[in-house]
Amino acid sequence: MSRSRTRLDQPRAPRRSLLPEYDPEAFGRLSERVARFLGTGRFIVYMTLVIVVWVLWNIFAPGSLRFDRYPFIFLTLMLSLQASYAAPLILLAQNRQDDRDRVNLEQDRKQNERSIADTEYLTREIAALRMGLGEVATRDWIRSEFQDLIKEMDERRLFPSESDEGDR
């Protein structure tokens, strides 16, 4: 008898399960839709109509057609059953919303960090430009230097006066 060896470089074939398989995302989306519906005025109106019809039917219908006598035990059971399913579905929807909010908050935080880093970089660049501009000769500075040179040359009489030029 030869025993087949299990290859470790390949994944195992999926085993058949006796339990039903379901897509958790599909179930989560369904729970969110149910929770959204349970939080609407339409649901309250529908639930109120069902309860009113239930009570009126069991009070005014002929005795043989009544299915829930006066203390309305069956109605209480149905409302408890509805609440026992609604609460976990609402909690599941809230947990999924919390997960989405957490992801969005993390993305916003990263975006804010990038914005702050960009702002700090631009601030440093502007400061470097200002420092560089402090060393650049501006038009007013050049004019003032020329005026100073002209005054200095006039004082030294490096240029002949106009009367001297006319003699030549």
Side-chain angles (χ1 to χ4, degrees), residues 51-70 72:
I51 292 172
V52 167
V53 168
W54 184 298
V55 170
L56 291 177
W57 179 266
N58 285 295
I59 291 175
F60 297 114
S64 62
L65 295 177
R66 292 181 193 167
F67 55 90
D68 194 13
R69 300 274 178 215
Y70 165 66
F72 304 120

Side-chain angles (χ1 to χ4, degrees), residues 74-90:
F74 190 51
L75 175 63
T76 304
L77 177 68
M78 288 294 112
L79 291 174
S80 297
L81 183 66
Q82 182 268 332
S84 69
Y85 276 100
L89 288 175
I90 291 170

Side-chain angles (χ1 to χ4, degrees), residues 82-127:
Q82 182 268 332
S84 69
Y85 276 100
L89 288 175
I90 291 170
L91 288 174
L92 179 62
Q94 285 177 342
N95 288 341
R96 288 174 52 90
Q97 184 62 45
D98 287 344
D99 291 342
R100 280 194 298 273
D101 290 345
R102 194 175 303 113
V103 168
N104 287 339
L105 185 65
E106 182 66 22
Q107 289 173 348
D108 289 347
R109 188 185 61 77
K110 287 180 181 178
Q111 179 63 38
N112 287 342
E113 286 176 358
R114 284 192 297 268
S115 296
I116 289 171
D118 290 346
T119 303
E120 289 174 352
Y121 171 76
L122 290 174
T123 303
R124 286 191 300 271
E125 289 297 313
I126 289 172

Side-chain angles (χ1 to χ4, degrees), residues 160-167:
S161 62
E162 291 181 14
S163 61
D164 293 340
E165 286 180 11
D167 295 339

